[in-house]
């Protein structure tokens, strides 16, 4: 007995050590990043770039390319890894100069962006600021986007038209608006417009539609156009059209094959797996029953003894 | 069961009481070294647990697994443990069905090893998961076509069957312990009390017990073959060279019997020495057991030749890359070392009777067992560096695999875990079945448990 107690307390000690270890490392991990002091001469540097539309748009595309993966779409630091929040009050309280200095320096997993020209960094700083605080002079407007298809002998053309909708319901072509056009695919939208597609004075962009996009078994595709502009609320349209290449019905992709999902599970497999699994366990249960019988038998003869 | 008294009673005839006391005596022995051994194992396990806790928090980035080598040491351990666990079915089921009665005294050793090994096989898989809390997603959301789902089912089933197969033949022995070990600590007496389920040794109880054992030793065969075949399919159904092989199932099963037999020889040696069972685990048993090792090794050699010669002959591009590395390149020293020291040389040595004596055969078995582990490592890892599609833009250190300290610490802990399970089982239960031993020595009285 004494030995047992001894051992018990040993196990208890080890257990509590382990628990303490887990506790410390867990909360150590959950903690925020340590303060990141910035030298005064860096903090006083003024941001020479005005936060106008051009700067914000340039900043957004740079952010999407270089920062979003870690800092997340909305800058809360919730991307693929845990990164600093770019919308917290604490963050906003520092000067643009201090942020630039941090972008130059980098720390830990935050890379240094010294290699990028400063004017681009100022753009991204302007954009990051706008994540928590929209510039006041921007009033959000509404727009509709529509798609037109034009099939000529040799070439298929697609037109996306953006119209601004005024408060009284009046629609006017909107010029200089960025429109993204793409084709819906399994895992996302395949862009077919170039990245800088701004509408002309009649509110349109024209795209020569590529011939090599694969559609469904009828060649049908879903085309999606969306307005991508800081001053406009999101607007989007999707249309189906048979402009894709015909994707012949594949015998194997329709078949119940071993490598497909559970909806296509081959019946012979479903049956043999289930029957096999159940019968093994039935036998195990039968043996458990026999063991129970042994016990009952023992109790009986124990009594008669 | 036909008794073969001559084969087992080398050291003269013993009475039932002598046999019983000989086999129970080790349970009273709580020697200093035993304590040290158990504490040592616990320390190794705790260190591994700390490393694992660290891995749990920081993620699998602490291991050396990267884009190329997405399976590493943990998966090799898993395959190794599954392999070792198969020995329970070989000795307790196959040899029993073939009425190879010389193996009766070692059947329990093999079942204990099987239970320790299969537990650690299951643990190794969970250890390999970045999010072990999601393990239930396998049965809940898995594709029934996926070998991983089959593996999940079959590992758990085999665990249960191994435990039952260890337990059933133990019942009469536990009843003896219940009646004899009156001075044992209370918890131990409680275990005997509960687990002996009121065994009185009546004729009806014997009938039911023998029937249950017989059912289990038949049931364990398909499950044992499934578990290792399915484990091999985890590899074989992929398109990777070195894995995508039609003989992978039997190749793995054959290799499993090699690893398990070697483990049994080592365990026999240790128990014989430490528990003073020279009269029960005799030279004869070592002789026979090592013949079994040679047999399994020869079968495994045959599969090895098939596995390397056929792709080596056609030398398809990726197969060629893989074999080049293995046979002549970077992995060659390790590969040839395992093939020669862990397979060819043991076969040759064990053909000579003096080598099948306890000490030399134990040393050989150590080589075979370590070779078996390295072999799993060589099956799992090198081929991943020859993917069908090139992996691009990765740092240089992604292109080879060297286990990290975390992986090594956790792996050692699984080894210690298996050893601890076996050690604790041996502390509480006799390693040689008492009733079977008496029966095989021609003592035919049905033991009514004495009061």
């Amino acid at each position: 007995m004494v030995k047992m107690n001894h051992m018990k307390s040993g196990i208890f000690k080890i257990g509590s050590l382990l628990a303490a270890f887990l506790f410390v490392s867990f909360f150590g991990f959950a903690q925020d990043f340590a303060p990141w002091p910035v030298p005064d001469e860096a903090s006083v540097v003024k941001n020479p770039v005005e936060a106008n539309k051009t700067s914000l748009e340039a900043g957004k595309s740079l952010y999407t390319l270089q920062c979003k993966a870690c800092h997340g779409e909305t800058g809360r630091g919730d991307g693929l890894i845990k990164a600093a929040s770019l919308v917290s009050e604490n963050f906003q309280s520092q000067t643009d100069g201090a942020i630039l200095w941090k972008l130059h320096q980098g720390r830990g997993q935050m890379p240094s962006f010294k290699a990028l020209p400063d004017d681009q960094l100022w753009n991204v700083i302007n954009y990051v600021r706008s994540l928590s605080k929209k510039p006041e002079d921007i009033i959000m407007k509404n727009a509709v986007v529509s798609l037109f298809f034009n099939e000529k002998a040799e070439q298929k053309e697609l037109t996306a038209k953006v119209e601004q909708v005024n408060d009284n319901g009046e629609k006017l072509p909107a010029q200089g608006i960025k429109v993204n056009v793409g084709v819906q695919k399994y895992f996302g939208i395949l862009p077919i417009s170039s990245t800088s597609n701004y509408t002309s004075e009649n509110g349109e962009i024209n795209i020569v539609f590529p011939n090599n996009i694969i559609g469904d078994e009828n060649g049908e595709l879903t085309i999606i156009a969306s307005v991508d502009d800081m001053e406009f609320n999101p607007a989007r349209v999707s249309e189906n059209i048979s402009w894709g290449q015909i994707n012949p019905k594949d015998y194997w992709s329709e078949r119940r094959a071993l490598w497909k999902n559970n909806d296509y599970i081959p019946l012979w497999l479903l049956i043999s797996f289930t029957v096999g699994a159940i019968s093994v366990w039935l036998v195990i249960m039968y043996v458990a029953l026999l063991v129970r019988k042994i016990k009952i038998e023992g109790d009986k003869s124990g009594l008669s003894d | 069961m036909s008794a073969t008294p001559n084969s087992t009673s080398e050291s003269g005839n013993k009475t039932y009481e002598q046999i019983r006391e000989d086999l129970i005596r080790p349970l009273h022995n709580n020697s200093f070294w035993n304590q040290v051994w158990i504490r040592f194992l616990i320390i190794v396990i705790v260190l591994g647990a700390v490393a694992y806790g660290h891995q749990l928090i920081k993620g699998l980035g602490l291991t050396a697994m990267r884009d190329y080598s997405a399976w590493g040491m943990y998966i090799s351990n898993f395959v190794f443990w599954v392999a070792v666990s198969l020995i329970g079915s070989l000795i307790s089921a196959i040899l029993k069905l073939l009425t190879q009665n010389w193996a009766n005294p070692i059947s329990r050793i093999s079942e204990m090893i099987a239970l320790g090994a299969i537990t650690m096989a299951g643990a190794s898989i969970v250890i390999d998961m970045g999010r072990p809390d999601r393990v239930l997603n396998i049965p809940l959301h898995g594709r029934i076509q996926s070998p991983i789902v089959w593996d999940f089912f079959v590992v758990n089933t085999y665990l249960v069957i191994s435990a039952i197969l260890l337990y059933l033949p133990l019942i009469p022995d536990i009843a003896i312990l219940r009646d004899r070990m009156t001075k044992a600590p209370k918890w131990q007496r409680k275990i005997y009390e509960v687990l002996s389920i009121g065994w009185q040794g009546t004729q009806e109880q014997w009938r039911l017990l023998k029937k249950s054992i017989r059912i289990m030793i038949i049931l364990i065969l398909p499950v044992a073959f499934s578990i290792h075949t399915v484990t091999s399919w985890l590899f074989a159904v992929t398109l990777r060279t070195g894995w995508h092989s039609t003989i992978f199932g039997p190749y793995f099963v054959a290799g499993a019997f090699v690893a398990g037999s070697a483990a049994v020889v080592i365990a026999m040696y240790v128990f014989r020495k430490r528990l003073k069972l020279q009269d029960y685990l005799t030279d004869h048993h070592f002789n026979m057991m090592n013949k079994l090792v040679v047999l399994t090794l020869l079968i495994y050699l045959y599969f090895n030749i098939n596995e390397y010669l056929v792709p080596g002959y056609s030398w398809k591009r990726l197969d060629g890359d893989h074999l080049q590395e293995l046979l002549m390149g970077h992995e060659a020293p390790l590969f040839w070392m395992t093939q020669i020291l862990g397979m060819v040389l043991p076969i040759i040595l064990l053909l000579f009777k003096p080598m099948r004596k306890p000490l030399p055969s134990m040393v050989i078995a150590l080589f075979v067992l370590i070779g078996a582990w390295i072999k799993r490592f060589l099956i799992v890892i090198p081929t991943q560096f020859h993917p069908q599609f090139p992996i691009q833009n990765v740092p240089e250190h992604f292109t080879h695999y060297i286990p990290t300290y975390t992986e090594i610490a956790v792996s050692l802990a699984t080894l210690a875990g298996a050893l601890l399970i076996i050690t604790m089982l041996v502390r509480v239960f006799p390693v040689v079945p008492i009733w079977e031993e008496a029966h095989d020595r021609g003592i035919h009285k049905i033991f009514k448990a004495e009061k």
Side-chain angles (χ1 to χ4, degrees):
Chain A
M1 270 325 281
V2 177
K3 262 210 184 101
M4 267 315 288
N5 282 336
H6 195 71
M7 209 160 119
K8 246 192 215 152
S9 75
I11 290 173
F12 180 75
K13 267 185 217 151
I14 290 162
S16 42
L17 250 167
L18 206 65
F21 171 82
L22 289 176
F23 186 84
V24 168
S25 14
F26 188 77
F27 285 92
F29 177 73
Q31 225 170 43
D32 268 344
F33 295 100
W36 191 350
V38 181
D40 288 341
E41 66 271 19
S43 283
V44 295
V45 174
K46 287 270 169 319
N47 181 348
V49 180
E50 193 200 335
N52 57 18
K53 196 175 158 190
T54 332
S55 164
L56 289 174
E57 266 172 7
K60 179 178 182 181
S61 55
L62 185 68
Y63 183 86
T64 312
L65 206 62
Q66 299 280 9
C67 325
K68 187 172 131 180
C70 295
H71 287 282
E73 173 105 48
T74 55
R76 282 200 214 98
D78 53 354
L80 293 177
I81 65 162
K82 188 178 153 46
S85 165
L86 304 180
V87 294
S88 69
E89 263 175 52
N90 211 1
F91 175 81
Q92 290 293 343
S93 67
Q94 62 193 321
T95 64
D96 284 4
I99 301 179
L100 184 78
W101 184 83
K102 288 180 180 176
L103 294 185
H104 280 168
Q105 295 294 314
R107 185 173 84 167
Q109 282 180 296
M110 165 75 189
S112 156
F113 290 95
K114 237 191 205 121
L116 294 178
D118 275 359
D119 52 337
Q120 288 193 27
L121 294 180
W122 290 124
N123 286 339
V124 85
I125 291 173
N126 284 337
Y127 176 71
V128 165
R129 289 258 186 234
S130 77
L131 284 173
S132 51
K133 180 158 79 38
K134 288 266 174 242
E136 273 124 36
D137 53 332
I138 297 184
I139 302 152
M140 296 305 278
K141 292 179 266 190
N142 290 319
V144 290
V145 55
S146 29
L147 280 169
F148 303 95
F149 301 100
N150 187 2
E151 199 160 354
K152 292 185 191 144
E154 282 298 291
Q155 176 168 300
K156 304 184 180 99
E157 258 182 38
L158 179 152
T159 303
K161 179 168 183 158
V162 180
E163 289 165 303
Q164 183 180 337
V165 185
N166 291 337
D167 291 342
N168 55 9
E170 184 192 10
K171 286 184 186 166
L172 292 170
Q175 188 188 356
I177 309 292
K178 192 172 164 210
V179 185
N180 295 328
V181 182
V183 176
Q184 182 70 52
K185 288 299 212 176
Y186 274 128
F187 296 114
I189 296 172
L190 174 72
I192 52 169
S193 57
S194 77
T195 45
S196 54
N197 250 306
Y198 293 91
T199 52
S200 61
E201 69 267 27
N202 52 4
E204 292 179 358
I205 59 163
N206 293 307
I207 296 166
V208 176
F209 196 84
N211 271 326
N212 55 0
I213 294 184
I214 294 170
D216 63 9
E217 62 266 33
N218 303 318
E220 189 139 303
L221 296 171
T222 303
I223 317 270
I224 291 170
S226 56
V227 170
D228 181 13
D229 190 288
M230 323 224 35
E231 298 178 5
F232 282 89
N233 288 319
R236 178 187 157 106
V237 64
S238 83
E239 303 266 0
N240 289 350
I241 185 155
S242 307
W243 274 8
Q245 287 184 6
I246 288 175
N247 187 6
K249 248 195 185 165
D250 176 7
Y251 170 72
W252 282 103
S253 68
E254 289 301 312
R255 230 178 99 96
R256 296 184 172 279
L258 274 174
W259 33 264
K260 297 207 75 182
N261 64 22
N262 263 341
D263 297 340
Y264 289 90
I265 180 165
L267 286 179
W268 63 263
L269 181 80
L270 183 66
I271 292 169
S272 38
F273 179 77
T274 333
V275 169
I278 291 176
S279 16
V280 168
W281 278 92
L282 281 180
V283 175
I284 293 178
M285 278 180 311
Y286 177 64
V287 170
L289 224 71
L290 289 182
V291 172
R292 206 178 106 84
K293 267 199 195 150
I294 295 180
K295 183 167 168 50
I296 293 171
E297 186 66 26
D299 293 347
K300 253 197 317 208
S301 74
L303 283 182
S304 64
D305 260 7
Chain B
M1 263 185 275
S2 70
T4 49
N6 332 356
S7 63
T8 41
S9 55
E10 277 176 20
S11 56
N13 288 326
K14 296 205 178 223
T15 65
Y16 166 64
E17 281 71 22
Q18 278 172 323
I19 295 172
R20 188 186 65 200
E21 290 316 308
D22 280 353
L23 295 178
I24 290 183
R25 196 174 312 117
L27 306 187
H28 294 298
N29 159 23
N30 196 7
S31 71
F32 172 71
W33 286 114
N34 201 28
Q35 297 282 326
V36 171
W37 169 242
I38 290 179
R39 275 182 204 175
F40 167 73
L41 291 178
I42 291 180
I43 291 172
V44 176
I45 293 171
V46 168
L47 289 180
V50 170
Y52 178 66
H54 200 52
Q55 172 189 314
L56 209 56
I57 291 159
K58 294 277 176 172
L60 289 177
L62 288 188
T63 70
M65 292 185 273
R66 294 291 183 269
D67 296 31
Y68 278 96
S69 192
W71 279 352
M73 199 172 175
Y74 295 154
I75 295 293
S76 341
N77 292 341
F78 163 69
V79 180
F80 176 75
W81 287 124
V82 172
V84 172
S85 79
L86 240 56
I87 192 61
S89 61
L90 175 64
I91 304 235
S92 303
I94 298 182
L95 292 188
K96 220 164 235 170
L97 287 172
L98 296 174
T99 61
Q100 293 289 315
N101 287 332
W102 62 268
N104 287 347
I106 50 178
S107 61
R108 189 163 295 154
I109 296 178
S110 74
E111 286 149 11
M112 287 173 170
I113 293 177
L115 189 64
I118 191 68
T119 312
M120 289 306 134
S124 295
I125 281 293
V126 178
I127 287 167
D128 189 62
M129 299 178 70
R131 289 289 303 268
D133 51 307
R134 294 185 180 169
V135 68
L136 282 183
N137 284 359
I138 300 170
L140 293 180
H141 306 293
R143 292 182 327 121
I144 300 175
Q145 297 101 304
S146 162
I148 292 186
V149 171
W150 311 341
D151 213 48
F152 182 86
F153 170 78
V154 106
V155 167
N156 285 310
T157 307
Y158 191 72
L159 178 69
V160 172
I161 294 183
S162 295
I164 297 178
L165 197 57
L166 172 64
Y167 173 58
L168 289 178
L170 256 176
I171 295 175
D173 282 3
I174 298 179
I176 297 171
L177 297 176
R178 173 194 63 196
D179 301 334
R180 306 294 308 172
M181 296 280 291
T182 44
K183 285 197 266 315
K186 198 162 167 210
W187 60 271
Q188 203 169 341
R189 290 208 312 270
K190 187 83 199 158
I191 290 181
Y192 297 146
E193 180 65 43
V194 172
L195 289 185
S196 61
I197 55 168
W199 178 264
Q200 303 287 336
T202 68
Q203 222 156 20
E204 177 63 8
Q205 282 187 321
W206 276 110
R207 192 187 65 78
L208 289 167
L209 184 70
K210 291 212 165 140
K211 184 171 170 194
S212 311
I213 295 178
R214 194 152 183 88
I215 293 174
M216 286 318 280
I217 62 178
I218 292 170
L219 180 70
I220 198 173
L221 286 180
V223 179
F225 274 75
S226 311
I227 177 173
H228 218 35
T229 306
V230 169
T231 302
S232 83
W233 287 349
L234 296 178
F235 299 90
V237 297
T238 67
L239 281 172
R240 276 180 197 276
T241 98
W243 290 355
H244 190 49
S245 153
T246 52
I247 64 163
F248 241 43
Y251 175 53
F252 269 42
V253 173
F257 288 152
V258 170
S261 311
V264 165
V265 172
I266 298 167
M268 278 166 70
Y269 180 83
V270 174
F271 295 150
R272 176 183 147 107
K273 265 257 134 71
R274 300 276 326 144
L275 309 180
K276 310 216 165 33
L277 296 176
Q278 283 84 346
D279 292 344
Y280 300 87
L281 302 171
T282 63
D283 283 9
H284 172 69
H285 295 111
F286 278 85
N287 187 22
M288 296 301 282
M289 190 60 212
N290 281 301
K291 284 186 181 168
L292 187 67
V293 173
V294 176
L295 177 66
T296 57
L297 275 170
L298 282 172
I299 299 173
Y300 194 44
L301 178 67
Y302 166 74
F303 276 111
N304 268 274
I305 293 170
N306 274 273
E307 182 58 22
Y308 295 115
L309 187 76
V310 176
Y313 210 100
S314 43
W315 208 263
K316 283 182 287 186
R317 195 177 63 79
L318 283 172
D319 283 351
D321 288 353
H322 174 55
L323 287 175
Q324 172 76 32
E325 276 288 286
L326 213 54
L327 306 186
M328 294 162 240
H330 187 248
E331 319 289 349
L334 212 54
F335 176 80
W336 288 112
M337 216 172 71
T338 41
Q339 298 295 83
I340 292 171
L341 295 183
M343 186 157 50
V344 178
L345 220 55
I347 294 177
I348 297 172
L349 288 177
L350 287 175
L351 290 179
F352 300 97
K353 191 157 186 194
M355 287 292 150
R356 298 197 293 268
K357 292 251 179 240
L359 182 62
S361 68
M362 186 274 285
V363 175
I364 294 173
L366 266 179
F367 275 88
V368 174
L369 192 65
I370 295 172
W373 185 84
I374 299 177
K375 177 86 187 183
R376 305 296 177 289
F377 195 83
L378 288 176
I379 289 176
V380 173
I381 287 142
T383 174
Q384 297 181 73
F385 295 103
H386 308 285
Q388 306 270 350
F389 288 116
I391 299 176
Q392 289 165 326
N393 301 328
V394 292
E396 200 276 329
H397 72 271
F398 281 26
T399 57
H400 43 79
Y401 173 87
I402 299 164
T404 62
Y405 286 121
T406 306
E407 282 170 289
I408 294 171
V410 174
S411 304
L412 286 178
T414 59
L415 175 62
L419 292 176
L420 187 65
I421 291 176
I422 298 168
T423 308
M424 293 318 277
L425 287 172
V426 173
R427 276 278 284 121
V428 192
F429 303 118
V431 277
V432 175
I434 301 173
W435 64 271
E436 246 178 332
E437 184 68 27
H439 181 280
D440 287 349
R441 285 175 187 240
I443 300 168
H444 283 295
K445 74 169 182 175
I446 297 274
F447 330 111
K448 234 172 128 47
E450 305 111 299
K451 279 272 142 78

